[in-house]
Amino acid sequence: MDRLDHLEHLDKQLVDELAQVARETVRDELREQTRRQRRRAMLYAASGAVALYAGAALALALGLGLAAGLPDWVAALITAAILGAVAYVLRGAARPSASGSTPGHGAETAATPPHRVVGGTAPATPPSGLGLPYPPMPAGPPGTGAPGAQTSGPDDIDPEQPHHRA
């Protein structure tokens, strides 16, 4: 028995050592992946900033070119209208459309219910199809005899009366 206890201790020590090595290996690998992703993110951010300045320089060049033959305010207005039109076209290109759906995109559009429109009105029922979106409202106050109004009965709870447990 003593011999088996000694082997059990060595086995536990080996498992602990292997777990420690595995943790260190995973930690080093994650650190390296994080470093690469951080570098890639910084390059994308720098690229976006440079593209923003390039777009501003292009808009300025367009405005100055138009200002050579037109008054300055007209050139600025035309430049703003052109940039607005480009922004609108880019926004439209970024939105999915039913006519220009790709095979992969078609499956996504088929999965969305037809009554759900982004930016449209809310559907009459919740997407789950269970019940009404709002509780039903009576036509008039209780006890008035209005059509659809609730009549008070012996089971109604009176908030003024104390509640007793039987």
Side-chain angles (χ1 to χ4, degrees), residues 17-163:
E17 190 174 327
L18 283 174
Q20 181 66 25
V21 168
R23 273 189 233 113
E24 288 176 5
T25 304
V26 168
R27 187 178 299 130
D28 291 341
E29 182 67 28
L30 287 175
R31 187 175 292 134
E32 181 62 31
Q33 285 179 359
T34 303
R35 187 176 300 127
R36 278 183 278 167
Q37 289 175 351
R38 187 180 304 133
R39 181 175 182 269
R40 184 178 299 147
M42 288 176 55
L43 289 174
Y44 274 122
S47 170
V50 170
L52 180 68
Y53 281 112
L58 182 64
L60 180 67
L62 176 68
L64 290 175
L66 288 173
L70 299 170
D72 293 341
W73 66 272
V74 175
L77 188 64
I78 291 173
T79 304
I82 291 172
L83 289 175
V86 169
Y88 184 77
V89 168
L90 290 175
R91 182 180 141 248
R95 285 188 166 185
S97 63
S99 62
S101 64
T102 60
H105 180 69
E108 292 174 12
T109 349
T112 59
H115 63 274
R116 295 295 297 192
V117 178
V118 176
T121 61
T125 59
S128 65
L130 302 174
L132 299 172
Y134 304 106
M137 295 295 293
T144 60
Q150 298 176 352
T151 59
S152 60
D155 294 332
D156 288 343
I157 297 174
D158 186 8
E160 298 296 323
Q161 296 292 327
H163 300 285

Side-chain angles (χ1 to χ4, degrees), residues 5-25:
D5 289 337
H6 180 66
L7 288 176
E8 185 177 303
H9 175 68
L10 287 176
D11 192 31
K12 185 176 186 288
Q13 185 180 4
L14 181 63
V15 168
D16 289 343
E17 190 174 327
L18 283 174
Q20 181 66 25
V21 168
R23 273 189 233 113
E24 288 176 5
T25 304

